[in-house]
Amino acid sequence: MKLDELRKRMASFDSKNSDVNDIYEELEASYQQLLAISEQLSNTENQYGLLIQNMSDIVWIADTNGEIRYINSIASDILGYQTCEMIGRKLYEFMCPLHEYKVGSCQSVVSLMNEVEFKRMEMWMLHSDGNTRKVLEVNTRHIIFDDEIVEIQGVGRDITDRIQIERRIHQKNKQMQFIRDISASINQNMSLNNLDQLISDTCKNIVTTVNVPLCTARLIDENGNLWLKAAFGRYKNEISQEALHSSDIYLKSVVNDHEPILITADSSLAATTEVKRVFKNGKIKNLLILPLNTNEATVGIMAIGVDGEYDDDYTPLFVSLANNLAFAVEKSRLYQNLKSFYLDIIMTLVAAMEAKDTYTQGHSLRVSEYSVKIAKEMGLPKSDIEEIEIAGILHDVGKIGISDAI
C-alpha cells in the first residue's frame, strides 16, 4: 500500500473516530440527564407517596368492579382496618349496610362510580368494631386509558363529627321550637278544660319529639294525692290509673325538695307498689320524675321513662317543659278563681234585680239555661257558650236602674 493512500485512510479514521467521540459524549450527557430526571422523578414519587400516606383523608384506587387496589394508611385510623386487610376486597364490603341510599344498596353506590364522578357524596362506612359508623365526604375521579375507564380514584374526608354536630343542632332547634309551641299554647289557653288538653299534648309531643317510650303527668290535690292527667308512649299501660300518694319515698323527695330525681330499675325496690309497677316487665330501665314547680309550691309531677341509658342532655329540656306546665296550672287556677269571683258578682246583681221584681224571680237563670242548651245543640265553641250563659243571666240587669214607680 502506498504511503499517501495509508495517510488518507488514517485521516478518514481520525475523522470517524472524532465523530464517534462526539456521539459518545452526547450519549454520556443524555445518560446523565436521564439519571437526573429519574432521580428527580423518584424523589417526586417518594414525596407524593409520603404526602398521600400522611394525609388526613382516605385515598384509594379501585378497579371498575370496586376492588380496592390501593389505599393509604389513614384508613387504619378512621376505619380500624390495616391497608393489607382492605386491598383486594370490594369497597362496598366496608360500607354500612344499614344506611339507606337513594340509589339502593351499598353495591349500587359503588357501581354508580363507573357512571358518574362523585362530588361531596356522603358515604357511610362501618368501623372494624362492627358498631361505629363513620361518614366520609367522597370525591371520585375516573382514570381513563384508550377512552375506557380502567380505575376509579377516590378521596374521602371524615365528617362524622360534623354530621353529629349538625344533628345535635337540628335536635336542639326542634326542642326549642317544641318549647315555643308549648309556651304559645299556655298563653292562649287558660281554662281548666284547655289545661287538660295542654298537659295531654305536652306528654304526647315529648314521646314523639324526644322518642321516649313513656311520658306521664299528674296533678296533686289538697290531700297529697297525685291524679293521673295524661299518659303516652308504648308502655302507657304499665301506668297505674289510681292516684299516687306523695308519701312515696321518691315522690316525697320530688314534691318537698322541688328537684327532679332519676329512678333506676334497681333503686325502684324502695318505692311503693304503684311506682314499682312501671319497672314490672323490665321494659323501662330509667324513670325521670320532675316536679311541676310554681312560685309557691309543687302542683304536680311529670315522669319520663326510657328503655335504655338515660341521656342527661335532655334534662334541661324536660325541666323547661315541666316549668311551663307548672305555670299553666297556676295560670289556669288563677283564671278559675277570677272567673268564680266574676260569677259571684253577677249572681249578686241578679239577686238584687230579682229582689226588686219578685214577679220575674228565676227568669234570668232560666233564660241562661235554655240559651246554653240551644248553643250546645248548635255546636257553638265553648267560649261562645260561656258568653251566652253570662249574657242570659244579665239580660234584664237594666231593671235595677228603673224606678219602682214605673
Side-chain angles (χ1 to χ4, degrees):
M1 184 179 293
K2 293 182 179 181
L3 182 61
D4 291 339
E5 186 179 352
L6 181 61
R7 285 176 178 172
K8 288 180 180 178
R9 288 188 177 185
M10 288 294 295
S12 175
F13 285 146
D14 289 341
S15 176
K16 291 179 178 180
N17 187 49
S18 177
D19 292 340
V20 170
N21 286 334
D22 291 342
I23 293 172
Y24 175 78
E25 289 177 359
E26 290 179 5
L27 288 174
E28 181 68 21
S30 298
Y31 175 72
Q32 293 298 328
Q33 188 177 5
L34 287 172
L35 284 178
I37 293 173
S38 177
E39 184 177 357
Q40 186 177 4
L41 287 174
S42 179
N43 291 334
T44 302
E45 183 180 358
N46 290 335
Q47 291 174 357
Y48 180 75
L50 187 63
L51 175 64
I52 293 296
Q53 289 299 329
N54 288 281
M55 285 180 66
S56 59
D57 299 340
I58 295 180
V59 179
W60 78 85
I61 297 176
D63 64 16
T64 54
N65 294 318
E67 183 177 308
I68 300 172
R69 293 182 174 178
Y70 168 82
I71 191 164
N72 62 346
S73 58
I74 195 65
S76 175
D77 297 333
I78 297 177
L79 299 178
Y81 292 98
Q82 299 298 320
T83 55
C84 59
E85 297 179 276
M86 302 185 72
I87 293 176
R89 294 174 62 183
K90 299 297 178 61
L91 181 61
Y92 57 76
E93 295 180 37
F94 303 96
M95 296 172 65
C96 179
L98 299 179
H99 187 73
E100 296 181 358
Y101 293 96
K102 292 182 179 179
V103 297
S105 66
C106 299
Q107 191 169 355
S108 299
V109 174
V110 175
S111 297
L112 187 62
M113 291 182 184
N114 292 315
E115 302 176 21
V116 296
E117 293 184 342
F118 290 170
K119 301 295 182 184
R120 305 183 70 177
M121 165 77 173
E122 286 187 7
M123 187 177 291
W124 290 71
M125 313 298 288
L126 190 62
H127 192 273
S128 61
D129 62 15
N131 296 314
T132 306
R133 294 200 296 175
K134 293 288 186 177
V135 188
L136 300 182
E137 185 179 74
V138 173
N139 294 287
T140 63
R141 184 173 68 88
H142 293 157
I143 300 175
I144 300 175
F145 182 75
D146 285 343
D147 296 329
E148 290 186 4
I149 300 174
V150 294
E151 290 181 329
I152 299 167
Q153 184 184 64
V155 178
R157 174 163 296 177
D158 184 6
I159 59 170
T160 307
D161 291 341
R162 190 185 80 190
I163 293 295
Q164 291 176 345
I165 290 172
E166 288 176 352
R167 284 188 171 184
R168 291 194 191 102
I169 292 174
H170 176 73
Q171 186 67 22
K172 292 296 182 183
N173 288 337
K174 192 174 181 180
Q175 293 173 8
M176 291 300 295
Q177 184 60 48
F178 182 26
I179 292 175
R180 285 194 291 268
D181 291 343
I182 294 298
S183 298
S185 297
I186 290 172
N187 291 329
Q188 294 172 3
N189 304 312
M190 290 191 298
S191 71
L192 191 58
N193 289 334
N194 285 333
L195 173 65
D196 291 343
Q197 186 62 49
L198 176 63
I199 293 174
S200 180
D201 289 345
T202 301
C203 291
K204 181 179 180 180
N205 288 331
I206 287 176
V207 168
T208 55
T209 303
V210 190
N211 194 27
V212 293
L214 180 65
C215 181
T216 67
R218 294 176 181 268
L219 296 184
I220 192 170
D221 64 15
E222 62 276 5
N223 298 318
N225 296 313
L226 290 157
W227 294 95
L228 185 66
K229 290 297 181 180
F232 280 92
R234 296 192 303 273
Y235 306 138
K236 64 181 182 181
N237 294 331
E238 309 297 327
I239 299 302
S240 173
Q241 300 295 318
E242 302 297 326
L244 305 182
H245 199 273
S246 56
S247 61
D248 175 90
I249 182 173
Y250 295 112
L251 300 182
K252 183 178 181 181
S253 174
V254 172
V255 172
N256 293 342
D257 298 337
H258 314 296
E259 293 291 337
I261 188 172
L262 182 66
I263 306 175
T264 65
D266 293 334
S267 63
S268 67
L269 298 177
T272 58
T273 303
E274 289 79 4
V275 175
K276 285 192 292 187
R277 179 177 175 176
V278 179
F279 300 92
K280 183 178 179 182
N281 293 327
K283 298 174 182 176
I284 297 295
K285 305 298 183 183
N286 293 278
L287 184 70
L288 180 69
I289 302 180
L290 304 106
L292 304 182
N293 293 326
T294 66
N295 292 330
E296 298 180 355
T298 296
V299 296
I301 62 170
M302 183 169 69
I304 312 291
V306 295
D307 49 9
E309 292 296 323
Y310 175 71
D311 188 350
D312 291 328
D313 290 343
Y314 284 108
T315 299
L317 169 66
F318 295 146
V319 170
S320 177
L321 292 173
N323 290 337
N324 274 295
L325 276 183
F327 174 69
V329 172
E330 183 179 35
K331 188 176 181 180
S332 177
R333 289 178 176 176
L334 289 173
Y335 174 79
Q336 293 300 317
N337 290 338
L338 181 62
K339 183 178 178 181
S340 178
F341 179 70
Y342 174 61
L343 290 175
D344 287 343
I345 293 176
I346 291 175
M347 295 310 296
T348 299
L349 288 173
V350 171
M353 179 183 64
E354 291 183 346
K356 189 172 184 179
D357 184 6
T358 57
Y359 175 76
T360 59
Q361 190 172 10
H363 167 70
S364 295
L365 294 178
R366 288 191 295 272
V367 169
S368 175
E369 181 181 352
Y370 292 141
S371 299
V372 167
K373 289 182 178 180
I374 293 172
K376 288 181 178 180
E377 189 68 26
M378 293 173 64
L380 296 180
K382 182 175 176 56
S383 57
D384 290 350
I385 294 175
E386 289 180 350
E387 291 181 1
I388 289 172
E389 180 182 12
I390 294 173
I393 294 174
L394 293 176
H395 79 281
D396 273 346
V397 72
K399 287 183 179 180
I400 294 178
I402 298 176
S403 171
D404 292 339
I406 296 176

